[in-house]
Amino acid sequence: MSGTEKETGFTFTIDGVEIKAHAGQTIMEAADAAGVYIPRLCDHEGLRHQGSCRVCTVKAGGRSVAACTQPAAPGQAVENETPHLTKMRRDLVEMLFHEGNHLCPICEASGNCELQAMAYRLDMTEATKFPYLEPCRALDASHPDIALDTNRCISCGRCIRASQDVDGKGVFGYVGRGIHRRVAVNGENLADTDAQVSDHAMSSEVCPVGCIIRKRVGFAVPIGEREFDKGLIGHEIEEKRK
């Protein structure tokens, strides 16, 4: 990249729309700034990028890449909304529903849940084709202020990165491999750790589902007034283009 490009930035396209970017930005960061929404679950503002959920997969130069980790490049042609990518994202989200126990009608995160909202965004209205695994996972209510319902965990790693990088604690971490990989705490239970309800990792914005539950505030906001009752997930980004 030339010195001029580093100073003034450059452009690339997403689905034919010209996007301005500067050196060091990922495709997703440049898209967000331009008001173009790229679906994501494991990525969250303020946390280091991980690229594990693959919901943000786009085509860049004919290659499938994770938009949250792939650097934007001058003249790059990116595909974001195509039938192929929409189907792939829908399949990924369906598998996440089938791998855990997600009972949306009785979940206190309903209306605030990014997984649920992503299903609506991707128009998951038909019967799914994957078998339900129906795992039996433990509920950890040992902490006086926080409960963990790992039946809802999608292993996005956001709580891990928030605890390590923002809180400086390392309360959460991955254990196991492959389909048996899961998020665990660094003690016998959550009460055996230095977790506090004021930790960034425990905030409502970090966990995209209803896994991390702050006690006594679960139903504080009534149905109809929750985040995704107001519009599709990503609408706040897309409003930048209006």
Side-chain angles (χ1 to χ4, degrees):
M1 186 181 299
S2 68
T4 301
E5 287 173 334
K6 289 180 180 179
E7 293 174 3
T8 63
F10 56 88
T11 63
F12 68 103
T13 63
I14 297 180
D15 295 332
V17 177
E18 187 173 85
I19 306 295
K20 294 180 180 179
H22 59 75
Q25 274 191 315
T26 64
I27 292 173
M28 182 178 288
E29 288 169 341
D32 283 356
V36 176
Y37 178 67
I38 299 175
R40 80 292 301 262
L41 286 173
C42 73
D43 198 74
H44 184 67
E45 186 176 2
L47 301 180
R48 57 184 158 89
H49 307 304
Q50 181 168 289
S52 61
C53 75
R54 312 310 290 185
V55 174
C56 74
T57 297
V58 296
K59 288 276 190 178
R63 295 174 52 245
S64 295
V65 297
C68 69
T69 59
Q70 181 69 25
Q76 194 174 46
V78 176
E79 296 175 69
N80 176 39
E81 292 189 353
T82 68
H84 169 74
L85 289 170
T86 298
K87 181 182 182 303
M88 181 209 67
R89 290 166 178 161
R90 189 182 295 120
D91 285 347
L92 288 171
V93 172
E94 284 184 6
M95 285 189 280
L96 289 174
F97 272 99
H98 284 253
E99 285 177 354
N101 296 311
H102 301 279
L103 306 175
C104 299
I106 61 171
C107 180
E108 71 278 2
S110 182
N112 290 322
C113 174
E114 293 179 34
L115 180 66
Q116 179 192 49
M118 190 63 68
Y120 283 124
R121 170 115 195 176
L122 297 174
D123 198 28
M124 274 178 51
T125 57
E126 299 180 0
T128 55
K129 58 182 177 292
F130 303 109
Y132 283 97
L133 299 186
E134 299 181 341
C136 182
R137 298 173 180 167
L139 174 66
D140 183 350
S142 61
H143 195 282
D145 299 310
I146 311 157
L148 300 178
D149 187 348
T150 55
N151 287 283
R152 304 166 180 173
C153 182
I154 59 172
S155 294
C156 66
R158 281 160 52 164
C159 62
I160 296 175
R161 285 169 281 152
S163 185
Q164 292 177 348
D165 302 340
V166 180
D167 300 325
K169 291 185 175 183
V171 170
F172 299 103
Y174 285 122
V175 296
R177 298 176 63 85
I179 195 173
H180 301 295
R181 188 179 75 160
R182 60 184 178 85
V183 175
V185 299
N186 64 349
E188 289 297 321
N189 51 45
L190 192 61
D192 195 38
T193 72
D194 56 353
Q196 295 179 300
V197 73
S198 58
D199 290 350
H200 184 57
M202 308 304 166
S203 63
S204 58
E205 66 187 77
V206 169
C207 181
V209 290
C211 180
I212 299 176
I213 305 165
R214 291 173 298 158
K215 295 181 179 180
R216 297 175 292 280
V217 297
F219 290 93
V221 179
I223 298 293
E225 299 179 19
R226 299 185 176 191
E227 182 176 2
F228 301 118
D229 294 331
K230 305 170 186 176
L232 291 175
I233 188 170
H235 71 89
E236 72 286 352
I237 292 174
E238 294 172 322
E239 287 173 356
K240 297 176 183 178
R241 296 185 65 191
K242 298 179 180 179

